[in-house]
């Protein structure tokens, strides 16, 4: 169960979308979260890895080397 407060404008837009399509506001809120969570996880993972590289605890691999390793180089 999740309860969220939305700005009035967003709440109104969500209500209008739900009314126009016969879906529930919950349906659209769930869809938005499902589509966005992967992107958020990728951002946090990238930020954490950047901190590791900057601290010298991780060594970056050039994209060209990765592409060669997987047979993707031109």
């Amino acid at each position: 169960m999740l309860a969220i407060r939305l700005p009035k404008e967003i709440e109104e837009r969500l209500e209008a979308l739900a009314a126009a399509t016969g879906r529930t506001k919950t349906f659209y809120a769930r869809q938005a979260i499902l589509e966005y969570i992967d992107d958020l996880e990728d951002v946090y993972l990238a930020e954490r890895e950047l901190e590791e590289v900057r601290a010298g605890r991780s060594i970056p691999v050039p994209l060209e080397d990765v592409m060669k390793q997987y047979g993707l180089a031109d």
Side-chain angles (χ1 to χ4, degrees):
M1 181 65 129
L2 175 68
I4 57 173
R5 293 189 191 276
L6 297 172
K8 185 178 179 180
E9 177 186 322
I10 299 301
E11 178 74 21
E12 290 171 354
R13 289 175 61 191
L14 189 56
E15 285 175 2
L17 178 61
T21 62
R23 300 268 189 176
T24 64
K25 293 187 298 182
T26 299
F27 171 83
Y28 288 111
R30 182 176 184 273
Q31 288 301 111
I33 291 169
L34 290 174
E35 289 187 29
Y36 191 61
I37 197 164
D38 286 339
D39 293 340
L40 282 176
E41 289 170 338
D42 289 346
V43 168
Y44 289 123
L45 176 63
E47 287 174 347
R48 186 173 50 221
E49 186 59 28
L50 180 59
E51 289 175 14
E52 293 295 307
V53 169
R54 287 180 174 162
R57 295 185 294 264
S58 182
I59 300 170
V61 178
L63 178 59
E64 183 177 280
D65 293 351
V66 174
M67 291 179 72
K68 284 179 187 175
Q69 179 180 350
Y70 291 98
L72 302 172
D74 290 331

